[in-house]
Amino acid sequence: MHARDTIHIEKPVRIPLIVGNWKMNKTPSEAAAFIRDLLERLTPSPKTDVVLTPPFTSLESASKALGPSSWINLGAQNLHWEQQGAFTGEVSASMLRELNCRYVIVGHSERRMLFGERDETIQKKVRAALVQGLAPILCVGESLAEREAGKATSAVTAQLDVNLAGLAQQELASVIIAYEPVWAIGTGRAATTEQAVAVHQSIRSFVEAGWNSTTAAAIRILYGGSVTPQNAESLLASEAIDGALVGGACLNPDSFATIVRIAQTRRA
Ligand code: 13P
């Protein structure tokens, strides 16, 4: 049969994305050593995007260790929504761009809980990132109490409702959503694949209802929360899960490389 004989419905290809969130770990020299080690363990593949998010202070050394036009991208863990000004202790999107960042994590639950970030502030950060050409990795997720009350999905969509408010379709196309249930972060208790898939599907439906089906089909939704080399295979096997936001397991080059390789060979 010839290609023209078949009715071909284009399915958008969502390239898996594995993000290592280093949190407050690794000095500049430790970052460089880690990256040299990681690069030896991995082979680039068009089938998976990889992003490392070191602390601000290690971005420059990480960028140098990756080298120019590296296949591994850099991101930051936070940003301020203004471009510059009297905001002691803050860092803007343009500063991150100059350090070769392409991505930035926004609204991580640790920022929400420990540093009082509110949904409205997170929305401003998402916008600021987009204006400067950074892809925001927007984190959302329910607390244990919300899950136990049967409100996991409504808690997540309530966050998205504010965090993504007013974005045009082209803007949303650059956003990555990371579903990180708070009870799964750093606890060793990852969501089951079924639990993650259920919330991912409701996030995709939320995007479809608010924008359209093309955007919903194209947006990447990552899972985060106690992802390990042991559970990555099952999580990434699902078509609903487009990658992982990895915390603890990304600090060890062997375990992070294993998770990246699992993504690279997924449904191969
Ligand atoms: P853990 O993988 O350590 O649970 O952390 C997840 C996380 O918060 C990534 O942003």
Side-chain angles (χ1 to χ4, degrees):
M1 188 162 30
H2 295 290
R4 64 174 178 277
D5 296 328
T6 60
I7 298 171
H8 194 67
I9 298 170
E10 278 294 331
K11 243 176 103 185
V13 181
R14 299 192 300 263
I15 297 173
L17 170 60
I18 304 295
V19 183
N21 178 5
W22 292 9
K23 307 193 180 182
M24 198 172 73
N25 292 288
K26 299 193 192 296
T27 65
S29 57
E30 289 166 349
F34 174 91
I35 287 170
R36 282 194 294 271
D37 186 337
L38 186 68
L39 287 172
E40 280 180 16
R41 293 168 190 270
L42 286 174
T43 315
S45 157
K47 287 188 178 163
T48 302
D49 292 333
V50 178
V51 175
L52 302 177
T53 67
F56 294 137
T57 45
S58 293
L59 282 170
E60 187 162 14
S61 92
S63 174
K64 284 195 181 127
L66 287 171
S69 62
S70 169
W71 66 280
I72 296 181
N73 279 300
L74 267 189
Q77 300 171 18
N78 185 25
L79 82 168
H80 191 272
W81 58 87
E82 294 289 348
Q83 284 230 53
Q84 58 188 46
F87 302 101
T88 303
E90 295 292 326
V91 170
S92 74
S94 54
M95 294 169 182
L96 298 175
R97 277 301 302 238
E98 235 181 276
L99 286 172
N100 298 325
C101 287
R102 299 216 164 281
Y103 297 80
V104 61
I105 296 173
V106 178
H108 191 279
S109 65
E110 285 152 15
R111 303 260 2 134
R112 292 175 188 258
M113 290 188 309
L114 305 174
F115 303 99
E117 280 197 15
R118 292 178 307 112
D119 281 321
E120 291 74 14
T121 322
I122 291 162
Q123 188 241 7
K124 288 201 235 176
K125 293 184 175 200
V126 168
R127 282 198 161 277
L130 290 167
V131 166
Q132 290 297 322
L134 291 170
I137 301 168
L138 170 64
C139 300
V140 291
E142 82 285 1
S143 65
L144 184 58
E146 286 165 332
R147 172 152 290 267
E148 286 175 345
K151 293 185 175 149
T153 299
S154 58
V156 166
T157 49
Q159 290 172 333
L160 290 172
D161 206 27
V162 181
N163 300 161
L164 299 176
L167 291 191
Q169 181 185 338
Q170 310 90 284
E171 292 173 312
L172 193 59
S174 302
V175 175
I176 291 139
I177 296 173
Y179 168 54
E180 296 210 309
V182 175
W183 48 270
I185 295 177
T187 58
R189 187 185 155 200
T192 63
T193 303
E194 293 70 29
Q195 286 172 323
V197 166
V199 178
H200 282 224
Q201 284 169 343
S202 62
I203 293 173
R204 220 173 278 289
S205 304
F206 172 88
V207 172
E208 180 166 7
W211 286 266
N212 52 47
S213 56
T214 314
T215 312
I219 197 164
R220 287 193 283 190
I221 306 174
L222 316 182
Y223 168 78
S226 297
V227 174
T228 62
Q230 289 71 41
N231 61 24
E233 187 114 42
S234 153
L235 288 160
L236 296 173
S238 166
E239 289 227 11
I241 300 177
D242 303 313
L245 180 49
V246 187
C250 84
L251 298 174
N252 175 297
D254 180 41
S255 57
F256 188 63
T258 304
I259 294 169
V260 171
R261 277 195 297 269
I262 289 169
Q264 287 176 332
T265 53
R266 168 177 111 139
R267 292 195 287 272

